[in-house]
Amino acid sequence: MSTLTASPETPGTAPAAPARPAYRVTGRRVLASEWAKLWSLRSTWITLGLGLLFLVAFGIIAASHYKSNLDSGRHLDRDFATSTAVSLSLFGTVFAQLALGVLGVLVTAGEYSTGMIRSTLAAVPRRLPVLWSKAAVYGLVALLVATAGAFVAFLVGSRIVSGTPAAMGLGHAGVVRSLLGAGLYLGLVGVIGTALGALLRSVAGGISVLVAALMLVPGLVSLLPTSWQGDIDPYLPSHAGESIFALTHDSTTLSPSAGLLVFLAWTALALAGAAYRLLRSDV
Protein backbone atom coordinates (compact mmCIF):
# COMPACT_ATOMS: atom_id res chain seq x y z
CA MET A 1 0.00 0.00 0.00
CA SER A 2 1.40 3.38 -1.04
CA THR A 3 1.44 6.32 1.33
CA LEU A 4 1.52 10.08 0.66
CA THR A 5 4.12 12.01 2.53
CA ALA A 6 4.29 15.80 2.68
CA SER A 7 7.69 17.22 1.97
CA PRO A 8 8.93 19.21 4.95
CA GLU A 9 9.25 22.95 4.51
CA THR A 10 12.75 24.32 4.39
CA PRO A 11 13.48 26.08 7.67
CA GLY A 12 13.51 29.87 7.41
CA THR A 13 11.41 30.08 4.25
CA ALA A 14 7.88 31.53 4.12
CA PRO A 15 5.11 29.60 2.46
CA ALA A 16 4.48 30.60 -1.16
CA ALA A 17 1.79 33.26 -1.58
CA PRO A 18 -1.20 32.28 -3.67
CA ALA A 19 -1.01 33.51 -7.23
CA ARG A 20 -2.82 36.81 -7.76
CA PRO A 21 -4.86 37.35 -10.92
CA ALA A 22 -3.15 39.64 -13.39
CA TYR A 23 -5.06 42.81 -14.27
CA ARG A 24 -4.28 44.89 -17.32
CA VAL A 25 -4.82 48.64 -17.52
CA THR A 26 -7.39 49.17 -20.26
CA GLY A 27 -9.26 52.22 -21.43
CA ARG A 28 -12.55 50.84 -20.17
CA ARG A 29 -11.16 50.23 -16.70
CA VAL A 30 -9.65 53.72 -16.51
CA LEU A 31 -13.02 55.18 -17.54
CA ALA A 32 -14.78 53.09 -14.91
CA SER A 33 -12.33 54.26 -12.27
CA GLU A 34 -12.84 57.93 -13.14
CA TRP A 35 -16.61 57.44 -13.20
CA ALA A 36 -16.53 55.95 -9.70
CA LYS A 37 -14.29 58.73 -8.38
CA LEU A 38 -16.50 61.44 -9.88
CA TRP A 39 -19.67 60.23 -8.18
CA SER A 40 -17.98 59.48 -4.87
CA LEU A 41 -17.42 63.21 -4.26
CA ARG A 42 -20.10 65.26 -2.53
CA SER A 43 -19.01 68.31 -4.50
CA THR A 44 -20.10 66.58 -7.72
CA TRP A 45 -23.71 66.34 -6.61
CA ILE A 46 -23.76 69.84 -5.14
CA THR A 47 -22.13 71.62 -8.06
CA LEU A 48 -24.09 69.76 -10.74
CA GLY A 49 -27.25 70.61 -8.82
CA LEU A 50 -26.24 74.27 -8.72
CA GLY A 51 -25.50 74.29 -12.44
CA LEU A 52 -28.89 72.78 -13.20
CA LEU A 53 -30.60 75.18 -10.80
CA PHE A 54 -28.91 78.22 -12.34
CA LEU A 55 -29.83 77.16 -15.84
CA VAL A 56 -33.49 76.47 -15.09
CA ALA A 57 -34.18 79.11 -12.42
CA PHE A 58 -32.63 82.07 -14.23
CA GLY A 59 -34.36 81.07 -17.46
CA ILE A 60 -37.73 81.02 -15.71
CA ILE A 61 -36.98 84.32 -13.95
CA ALA A 62 -36.07 85.99 -17.26
CA ALA A 63 -39.26 84.72 -18.93
CA SER A 64 -41.39 85.84 -15.98
CA HIS A 65 -39.76 89.29 -16.00
CA TYR A 66 -40.46 89.67 -19.71
CA LYS A 67 -44.09 88.60 -19.29
CA SER A 68 -44.75 90.86 -16.31
CA ASN A 69 -43.28 93.92 -18.03
CA LEU A 70 -45.31 93.24 -21.14
CA ASP A 71 -48.56 92.75 -19.20
CA SER A 72 -48.05 95.91 -17.17
CA GLY A 73 -47.43 98.01 -20.26
CA ARG A 74 -43.99 99.06 -19.11
CA HIS A 75 -41.34 99.87 -21.68
CA LEU A 76 -39.03 96.95 -22.43
CA ASP A 77 -35.33 97.76 -22.54
CA ARG A 78 -33.35 97.00 -25.66
CA ASP A 79 -32.12 93.61 -24.43
CA PHE A 80 -35.64 92.35 -23.74
CA ALA A 81 -37.45 93.98 -26.65
CA THR A 82 -36.10 91.48 -29.19
CA SER A 83 -36.11 88.48 -26.88
CA THR A 84 -37.45 85.08 -27.86
CA ALA A 85 -38.50 82.14 -25.75
CA VAL A 86 -35.14 80.56 -26.54
CA SER A 87 -33.00 83.53 -25.49
CA LEU A 88 -35.05 84.03 -22.33
CA SER A 89 -34.90 80.34 -21.38
CA LEU A 90 -31.14 80.20 -21.91
CA PHE A 91 -30.50 83.35 -19.89
CA GLY A 92 -29.03 81.20 -17.09
CA THR A 93 -26.31 79.75 -19.33
CA VAL A 94 -23.81 82.40 -18.24
CA PHE A 95 -24.28 81.36 -14.60
CA ALA A 96 -24.43 77.62 -15.25
CA GLN A 97 -21.12 77.72 -17.11
CA LEU A 98 -19.36 78.89 -13.97
CA ALA A 99 -20.73 76.03 -11.85
CA LEU A 100 -19.97 73.36 -14.45
CA GLY A 101 -16.57 74.82 -15.28
CA VAL A 102 -15.57 75.04 -11.61
CA LEU A 103 -16.50 71.39 -11.07
CA GLY A 104 -14.33 70.49 -14.07
CA VAL A 105 -11.38 72.20 -12.38
CA LEU A 106 -12.09 70.31 -9.15
CA VAL A 107 -12.17 66.97 -10.99
CA THR A 108 -8.46 67.24 -11.82
CA ALA A 109 -6.91 69.91 -9.57
CA GLY A 110 -8.65 68.41 -6.54
CA GLU A 111 -6.55 65.25 -6.90
CA TYR A 112 -3.37 67.30 -6.92
CA SER A 113 -4.37 69.18 -3.77
CA THR A 114 -5.13 65.94 -1.88
CA GLY A 115 -2.19 63.99 -3.29
CA MET A 116 -4.48 61.29 -4.70
CA ILE A 117 -3.03 61.91 -8.16
CA ARG A 118 0.06 59.89 -7.12
CA SER A 119 -2.04 56.79 -6.58
CA THR A 120 -3.92 57.41 -9.82
CA LEU A 121 -0.77 57.70 -11.92
CA ALA A 122 0.83 54.74 -10.14
CA ALA A 123 -2.11 52.65 -11.30
CA VAL A 124 -2.04 54.15 -14.82
CA PRO A 125 1.66 54.83 -15.55
CA ARG A 126 1.06 56.03 -19.11
CA ARG A 127 -0.67 59.13 -17.64
CA LEU A 128 -2.50 60.45 -20.71
CA PRO A 129 -5.38 57.92 -20.47
CA VAL A 130 -6.13 59.47 -17.07
CA LEU A 131 -6.55 62.93 -18.61
CA TRP A 132 -8.65 61.69 -21.53
CA SER A 133 -10.85 59.62 -19.21
CA LYS A 134 -11.43 62.49 -16.77
CA ALA A 135 -12.30 64.86 -19.61
CA ALA A 136 -14.57 62.33 -21.35
CA VAL A 137 -16.44 61.24 -18.22
CA TYR A 138 -17.05 64.70 -16.83
CA GLY A 139 -17.69 66.22 -20.26
CA LEU A 140 -20.42 63.65 -20.91
CA VAL A 141 -22.02 64.21 -17.50
CA ALA A 142 -21.97 68.01 -17.95
CA LEU A 143 -23.41 67.64 -21.46
CA LEU A 144 -26.34 65.51 -20.29
CA VAL A 145 -27.13 67.70 -17.28
CA ALA A 146 -26.92 70.92 -19.28
CA THR A 147 -29.01 69.59 -22.17
CA ALA A 148 -31.72 68.39 -19.78
CA GLY A 149 -31.68 71.76 -18.02
CA ALA A 150 -31.92 73.67 -21.30
CA PHE A 151 -34.99 71.72 -22.42
CA VAL A 152 -36.68 72.03 -19.02
CA ALA A 153 -36.03 75.78 -18.93
CA PHE A 154 -37.42 76.19 -22.44
CA LEU A 155 -40.53 74.08 -21.86
CA VAL A 156 -41.39 76.08 -18.74
CA GLY A 157 -40.32 79.44 -20.17
CA SER A 158 -42.25 78.97 -23.41
CA ARG A 159 -45.43 78.41 -21.39
CA ILE A 160 -44.82 81.61 -19.45
CA VAL A 161 -44.37 83.76 -22.59
CA SER A 162 -47.17 82.05 -24.51
CA GLY A 163 -49.26 84.60 -26.37
CA THR A 164 -46.47 87.21 -26.46
CA PRO A 165 -44.18 88.21 -29.36
CA ALA A 166 -41.48 86.01 -27.82
CA ALA A 167 -43.62 82.85 -27.95
CA MET A 168 -42.00 79.86 -29.66
CA GLY A 169 -42.36 76.10 -29.60
CA LEU A 170 -40.03 73.18 -30.17
CA GLY A 171 -41.29 72.98 -33.74
CA HIS A 172 -39.98 76.44 -34.65
CA ALA A 173 -36.92 76.50 -36.88
CA GLY A 174 -33.65 76.43 -34.97
CA VAL A 175 -35.12 75.89 -31.49
CA VAL A 176 -33.97 72.29 -30.96
CA ARG A 177 -30.59 73.15 -32.48
CA SER A 178 -30.18 76.03 -30.03
CA LEU A 179 -31.10 73.92 -27.00
CA LEU A 180 -28.76 71.11 -28.02
CA GLY A 181 -26.08 73.70 -28.76
CA ALA A 182 -26.41 75.13 -25.24
CA GLY A 183 -25.91 71.68 -23.75
CA LEU A 184 -22.90 71.05 -25.99
CA TYR A 185 -21.37 74.41 -25.08
CA LEU A 186 -21.70 73.79 -21.35
CA GLY A 187 -20.33 70.27 -21.73
CA LEU A 188 -17.24 71.66 -23.48
CA VAL A 189 -16.87 74.29 -20.75
CA GLY A 190 -16.66 71.39 -18.31
CA VAL A 191 -13.92 69.79 -20.42
CA ILE A 192 -11.98 73.08 -20.50
CA GLY A 193 -12.27 73.28 -16.72
CA THR A 194 -10.89 69.75 -16.45
CA ALA A 195 -7.96 70.67 -18.70
CA LEU A 196 -7.21 73.86 -16.76
CA GLY A 197 -7.17 71.93 -13.50
CA ALA A 198 -4.64 69.47 -14.92
CA LEU A 199 -2.57 72.24 -16.50
CA LEU A 200 -2.35 74.54 -13.47
CA ARG A 201 -2.67 71.85 -10.74
CA SER A 202 -4.34 74.43 -8.50
CA VAL A 203 -8.04 74.79 -7.75
CA ALA A 204 -7.76 78.55 -7.20
CA GLY A 205 -5.57 79.04 -10.27
CA GLY A 206 -7.81 76.97 -12.53
CA ILE A 207 -10.98 78.74 -11.42
CA SER A 208 -9.32 82.16 -11.83
CA VAL A 209 -8.22 81.44 -15.40
CA LEU A 210 -11.63 79.97 -16.26
CA VAL A 211 -13.52 83.03 -14.97
CA ALA A 212 -11.07 85.37 -16.69
CA ALA A 213 -11.39 83.60 -20.04
CA LEU A 214 -15.18 83.44 -19.99
CA MET A 215 -16.11 86.74 -18.33
CA LEU A 216 -13.23 89.19 -17.85
CA VAL A 217 -11.43 89.03 -21.20
CA PRO A 218 -14.55 90.01 -23.24
CA GLY A 219 -14.88 93.12 -21.08
CA LEU A 220 -11.24 94.03 -21.63
CA VAL A 221 -11.56 93.55 -25.39
CA SER A 222 -14.44 96.04 -25.41
CA LEU A 223 -11.91 98.69 -24.37
CA LEU A 224 -9.89 98.18 -27.56
CA PRO A 225 -10.43 100.32 -30.68
CA THR A 226 -13.60 99.45 -32.54
CA SER A 227 -11.69 98.31 -35.61
CA TRP A 228 -9.87 95.72 -33.49
CA GLN A 229 -12.95 94.49 -31.68
CA GLY A 230 -14.55 93.18 -34.85
CA ASP A 231 -11.50 91.02 -35.58
CA ILE A 232 -11.08 89.65 -32.04
CA ASP A 233 -14.47 89.61 -30.35
CA PRO A 234 -16.20 86.78 -32.30
CA TYR A 235 -13.29 84.41 -31.65
CA LEU A 236 -13.19 84.76 -27.88
CA PRO A 237 -14.21 81.52 -26.10
CA SER A 238 -17.40 82.92 -24.59
CA HIS A 239 -18.61 84.66 -27.77
CA ALA A 240 -17.74 81.72 -30.02
CA GLY A 241 -19.61 79.50 -27.58
CA GLU A 242 -22.66 81.78 -27.54
CA SER A 243 -22.89 81.59 -31.31
CA ILE A 244 -23.35 77.82 -31.02
CA PHE A 245 -26.75 78.21 -29.35
CA ALA A 246 -27.83 81.65 -30.57
CA LEU A 247 -31.05 81.54 -32.56
CA THR A 248 -30.18 84.46 -34.82
CA HIS A 249 -26.88 85.77 -36.15
CA ASP A 250 -25.57 88.91 -37.81
CA SER A 251 -22.36 90.12 -39.42
CA THR A 252 -20.66 90.58 -36.04
CA THR A 253 -21.15 86.98 -34.87
CA LEU A 254 -20.05 83.59 -36.11
CA SER A 255 -22.40 81.00 -37.54
CA PRO A 256 -23.23 78.03 -35.29
CA SER A 257 -20.85 75.70 -37.15
CA ALA A 258 -18.02 78.24 -37.21
CA GLY A 259 -18.56 79.03 -33.53
CA LEU A 260 -18.43 75.33 -32.69
CA LEU A 261 -15.17 74.89 -34.60
CA VAL A 262 -13.58 77.86 -32.82
CA PHE A 263 -14.72 76.66 -29.41
CA LEU A 264 -13.49 73.14 -30.15
CA ALA A 265 -10.12 74.68 -31.02
CA TRP A 266 -10.01 76.43 -27.63
CA THR A 267 -10.92 73.15 -25.94
CA ALA A 268 -8.22 71.26 -27.84
CA LEU A 269 -5.66 73.93 -26.93
CA ALA A 270 -6.45 73.59 -23.22
CA LEU A 271 -6.26 69.78 -23.41
CA ALA A 272 -2.97 69.94 -25.33
CA GLY A 273 -1.44 72.17 -22.64
CA ALA A 274 -2.64 69.82 -19.91
CA ALA A 275 -1.30 66.77 -21.74
CA TYR A 276 2.10 68.41 -22.27
CA ARG A 277 2.51 69.27 -18.60
CA LEU A 278 1.26 65.88 -17.47
CA LEU A 279 3.92 64.18 -19.57
CA ARG A 280 6.77 66.59 -18.82
CA SER A 281 6.31 67.35 -15.12
CA ASP A 282 6.41 65.21 -12.03
CA VAL A 283 3.42 65.11 -9.70
Side-chain angles (χ1 to χ4, degrees):
M1 183 177 65
S2 62
T3 59
L4 295 177
T5 59
S7 59
E9 295 182 359
T10 304
T13 61
R20 297 178 61 185
Y23 291 103
R24 291 192 309 112
V25 177
T26 64
R28 187 179 66 178
R29 285 172 175 158
V30 177
L31 285 170
S33 172
E34 295 304 327
W35 177 269
K37 284 193 288 185
L38 177 66
W39 293 111
S40 66
L41 299 174
R42 186 181 303 173
S43 59
T44 299
W45 299 91
I46 296 173
T47 314
L48 283 177
L50 286 175
L52 186 61
L53 177 65
F54 290 157
L55 187 57
V56 175
F58 281 102
I60 294 174
I61 290 171
S64 301
H65 179 71
Y66 174 87
K67 177 70 171 177
S68 62
N69 283 352
L70 204 64
D71 290 344
S72 62
R74 283 179 288 183
H75 176 71
L76 293 173
D77 57 36
R78 185 176 61 180
D79 293 334
F80 274 93
T82 58
S83 294
T84 65
V86 172
S87 62
L88 292 170
S89 300
L90 297 180
F91 184 80
T93 303
V94 67
F95 304 100
Q97 70 181 355
L98 294 180
L100 296 177
V102 165
L103 181 55
V105 173
L106 291 173
V107 166
T108 48
E111 286 202 27
Y112 283 94
S113 62
T114 61
M116 186 177 178
I117 190 66
R118 296 185 183 91
S119 300
T120 299
L121 296 183
V124 189
R126 291 177 60 190
R127 295 194 174 190
L128 285 185
V130 173
L131 177 62
W132 309 144
S133 297
K134 286 182 180 295
V137 167
Y138 179 62
L140 177 61
V141 170
L143 168 66
L144 295 177
V145 170
T147 302
F151 274 90
V152 171
F154 176 79
L155 292 175
V156 178
S158 61
R159 284 182 171 272
I160 294 174
V161 300
S162 178
T164 69
M168 300 185 82
L170 286 174
H172 282 75
V175 170
V176 173
R177 190 267 306 164
S178 294
L179 299 178
L180 292 175
L184 178 59
Y185 167 68
L186 292 173
L188 290 174
V189 168
V191 174
I192 290 177
T194 304
L196 290 177
L199 175 62
L200 300 175
R201 301 183 177 183
S202 165
V203 174
I207 293 174
S208 298
V209 172
L210 179 73
V211 172
L214 296 179
M215 304 189 72
L216 298 184
V217 172
L220 294 176
V221 171
S222 66
L223 301 176
L224 296 175
T226 306
S227 59
W228 293 10
Q229 293 181 30
D231 296 330
I232 299 175
D233 207 55
Y235 300 96
L236 296 176
S238 57
H239 291 168
E242 288 173 4
S243 65
I244 299 174
F245 59 87
L247 195 61
T248 59
H249 300 82
D250 54 35
S251 59
T252 63
T253 61
L254 299 176
S255 65
S257 56
L260 177 59
L261 289 176
V262 171
F263 200 72
L264 284 173
W266 283 110
T267 306
L269 181 63
L271 286 172
Y276 179 83
R277 187 172 187 194
L278 189 61
L279 289 175
R280 297 293 180 178
S281 302
D282 293 332
V283 297

